[in-house]
Amino acid sequence: MNRTTLSLIAGVAALAAVTGFAAVSPPDTSGADTAEAAARLPVERTSLLCPAPSTSDLAETSYTSFTPVTKGTDEKGKAELASVTGQDGKKKTVKPVLQPKAPGTPVTAEISGADAPALVGTAEGSYAPGWTVQQTTQVAAGTGRGLLGVDCTAADTEFWFPGASTATGRTDYVHLTNPDDSAAVVDIELYGKDGALKSTVGEGITVPPHGNASLLLSTLSDVEQTDLTVHVGVRSGRVGAAVQALDAKTGGDWLTASADPASDLVLPGIPKDATAVRLVLFTPGGTDADLKVRIAAPSGSITPAGHETVHVKAGMTTGVDLGEVTRGEAGSLVLTPTAGAVPVVAAVRVVRGKGAEQESAFIPASGPVGARATSVDNRAKSTTLSLAAPEEGAEVRVTASAGTEGGTTATRTYKLKGGTTQDVEAPVPAGLKGTYALTVETVSGGPVYASRTLTDPEDDDVASFTVQTLSDDRGTVAVPKAEEDLSVLQR
C-alpha cells in the first residue's frame, strides 16, 4: 500500500473522528454531483478551557454550562468541567466542578475566593455540538472590582489581543492553559505605539501538561504603554489564552482574542449608555491600513464626527478615543478598508458610569453568528442582547432555554434592517428560576453579529457589567460523500 493510499485513509479516519461518520459507498450511477451531496453532521467531541478567575479573596465565581439540542446526535454522551492538575506534569483524577445532566438545560456551579483554578472541559456525544460555558466573577472591591465575564474557549496556536495595557493603574495578565499530555511552548510578543517592545522574557514560555501559567505584562516589558497588542504564538502544542485587564479606577474584565486578522471587521453591541469608548487596532503585516469607521445604529449606518477614518501603521498599535460614540443608542463599530485590503485586528474598551462609579469591559472584533451561537448565564432584567446586520437585512430566531432551576423555553423572531444594530427584547423562560441560555440562529439574509451585555442589578454604587460576543458555535461540520475508487490502490 503506497503513501497516497495511506494519506487518503488517514484523512477519512480523521474526519470520522471529528464527526462520528464518514460514508464510503459505491459510485452513484444517477449522474448527481457528489460534491452537492455533502451533509452537515454534528461534531462528537468538544473541548473548552477556562482561565483561573481571580486572585482576590473577595471573588465569587459561577460557571454555567449549556448545550443546545441538536438533531442527529447520538443520544449517549456526557460533559464535565474539572480543574487542571499539571504543575508536576501529571494528569490526576479530580472531582468535576460541573457536570451537565442533559442537553437543552443549563447547569451552574459556584466557587469562592482566590484559589479557584483554571478548568478544562470535554463534552462528547449529544453534549458536544454547540457546548458553551461562561465564567462570571463578581469582585466586591479592589483593583479590578466589578463584574468579569469570559466564555471558555477551545485551545489554539495563535491569538491577538489589541487593547491590553501597561499604563499606570492597569494590571494586565496573560493566562495560558494547556489541556494536553505534553508541555506547550509559547512566545508572547508586545506591540506598542512605536512597534515591538524589546523583551526576551516572553520567549519560550513552558506551560506544563494539564497546567496553566499567568504572566503579568509589566514583567515582560518595563515600558509603559496605554495601548498594547499582545500576540501569543505557540511553538509546540496548543493552549487556551485570555488577557485579564484590571484597572484601579474603572474595574476590569477579560479581554478575549480578536477575530483573525481581516480587512473588514465588526465589533458588535457597544452599550448605549457607554460614557467612553476607545478603539485599539493593530495590523500584523508589513503594510499600513486605512480604514473607514462607521456605526451601525438602530436607524442605519452613520459616521462618527471627527473619526471618519483611522490610519494604522504597520506593526504599531493605534488607539483612538471615540468618546460617547453611541449617544444613547445601540451601536456596533464597522471597519472597512478605504482602499486596498490590509488584515487588521481590533477591540474596543468600553466604560460605563461616571467618576468613582465606573466599570469597564472589552468587545473584540468577532465573527458572525452563522448558523447558531449561544450565550449563557443570562438573568432576568440584567441581560441585553444586541443584534447587528452591518450589510444586508436578516431574520434571526432567538430561543431562551429553561432556567437552571426551572422554567420553560420561549422563542422570538426578529427582522433586522441592513446597516443597523438593535438591542432586542430577548425572550425569557416562562416561570424562570435561576439563569438561562439564549441561542441565536440566522434564519435568512446577510451575516448577523451579536453580543450580550450582563449587568449586576444589585450593585448600586458601580455600573458593573461585562460583554461577550456570540460567534458560530461550529456544532456541525460538512462531510462530503465519499465514493469507492479502487484505482488508488494501483497508484
Side-chain angles (χ1 to χ4, degrees):
M1 189 177 295
N2 62 23
R3 188 179 303 274
T4 302
T5 306
L6 289 172
S7 298
L8 176 62
I9 293 173
V12 172
L15 185 59
V18 174
T19 66
F21 179 85
V24 179
S25 60
D28 185 353
T29 58
S30 66
D33 185 352
T34 57
E36 295 179 359
R40 294 203 67 87
L41 298 177
V43 299
E44 284 204 337
R45 183 181 175 89
T46 299
S47 295
L48 296 175
L49 302 169
C50 310
S54 179
T55 58
S56 172
D57 291 332
L58 302 177
E60 299 289 337
T61 300
S62 64
Y63 299 93
T64 306
S65 164
F66 177 77
T67 298
V69 175
T70 303
K71 294 181 179 180
T73 59
D74 187 337
E75 293 183 1
K76 298 180 180 180
K78 64 177 182 178
E80 66 178 33
L81 203 63
S83 62
V84 296
T85 57
Q87 297 308 320
D88 58 0
K90 297 180 180 179
K91 185 177 180 180
K92 302 181 181 69
T93 300
V94 295
K95 182 180 179 180
V97 172
L98 180 152
Q99 285 183 299
K101 295 181 179 179
T105 302
V107 62
T108 189
E110 297 182 352
I111 298 179
S112 299
D115 297 328
L119 304 181
V120 58
T122 302
E124 299 175 342
S126 60
Y127 292 78
W131 188 38
T132 303
V133 177
Q134 162 88 11
Q135 173 182 296
T136 307
T137 303
Q138 179 74 54
V139 179
T143 298
R145 54 97 181 102
L147 198 62
L148 295 81
V150 63
D151 286 331
C152 302
T153 58
D156 208 338
T157 57
E158 186 175 42
F159 307 84
W160 293 96
F161 300 97
S165 179
T166 53
T168 301
R170 279 281 288 271
T171 307
D172 288 16
Y173 296 85
V174 179
H175 287 252
L176 307 172
T177 308
N178 179 5
D180 296 327
D181 294 333
S182 58
V185 181
V186 177
D187 293 328
I188 299 177
E189 300 169 315
L190 306 180
Y191 297 89
K193 60 184 178 64
D194 298 317
L197 303 186
K198 293 182 179 180
S199 173
T200 58
V201 182
E203 296 180 359
I205 298 168
T206 298
V207 185
H210 306 286
N212 67 296
S214 175
L215 298 100
L216 181 63
L217 290 189
S218 60
T219 64
L220 303 182
S221 173
D222 58 3
V223 178
E224 289 194 5
Q225 295 277 300
T226 300
D227 302 304
L228 274 180
T229 297
V230 179
H231 177 233
V232 175
V234 183
R235 293 190 198 178
S236 63
R238 58 187 188 135
V239 298
V243 172
Q244 190 175 46
L246 309 177
D247 193 284
K249 295 182 179 179
T250 59
D253 210 340
W254 289 96
L255 169 60
T256 55
S258 171
D260 290 341
S263 57
D264 296 72
L265 298 175
V266 178
L267 297 82
I270 299 172
K272 62 183 180 181
D273 59 352
T275 54
V277 177
R278 185 171 180 83
L279 172 63
V280 182
L281 312 100
F282 178 79
T283 176
T287 305
D288 292 2
D290 288 288
L291 301 169
K292 181 180 180 180
V293 181
R294 292 179 295 141
I295 300 291
S299 57
S301 180
I302 60 176
T303 302
H307 300 291
E308 295 82 2
T309 62
V310 59
H311 180 72
V312 185
K313 294 183 179 180
M316 302 179 186
T317 298
T318 299
V320 182
D321 272 325
L322 300 178
E324 299 182 45
V325 68
T326 54
R327 300 186 181 280
E329 293 186 323
S332 300
L333 272 178
V334 181
L335 308 176
T336 55
T338 60
V342 178
V344 176
V345 293
V348 290
R349 180 173 182 257
V350 178
V351 176
R352 294 175 68 238
K354 297 283 188 179
E357 300 181 0
Q358 296 184 79
E359 233 267 81
S360 57
F362 296 87
I363 304 173
S366 73
V369 166
R372 183 182 67 186
T374 298
S375 165
V376 296
D377 195 16
N378 295 289
R379 309 167 190 182
K381 299 181 180 180
S382 300
T383 294
T384 301
L385 179 65
S386 292
L387 302 175
E391 300 175 13
E392 58 182 287
E395 185 174 348
V396 176
R397 179 170 55 245
V398 180
T399 301
S401 74
T404 52
E405 300 173 18
T408 57
T409 61
T411 300
R412 293 187 64 177
T413 301
Y414 308 87
K415 291 186 177 180
L416 307 174
K417 294 182 179 180
T420 68
T421 297
Q422 305 289 338
D423 281 353
V424 301
E425 185 177 346
V428 177
L432 171 66
K433 294 182 180 179
T435 67
Y436 62 100
L438 287 171
T439 299
V440 182
E441 299 170 279
T442 304
V443 177
S444 63
V448 174
Y449 296 77
S451 71
R452 185 281 309 269
T453 299
L454 181 66
T455 59
D456 182 4
E458 298 180 1
D459 194 339
D460 298 327
D461 298 325
V462 179
S464 295
F465 76 115
T466 182
V467 182
Q468 283 75 51
T469 59
L470 284 71
S471 296
D472 195 316
D473 64 22
R474 298 180 180 179
T476 62
V477 291
V479 181
K481 182 178 179 181
E483 291 187 349
E484 184 181 83
D485 184 3
L486 297 181
S487 64
V488 298
L489 301 178
Q490 308 301 320
R491 296 173 185 172

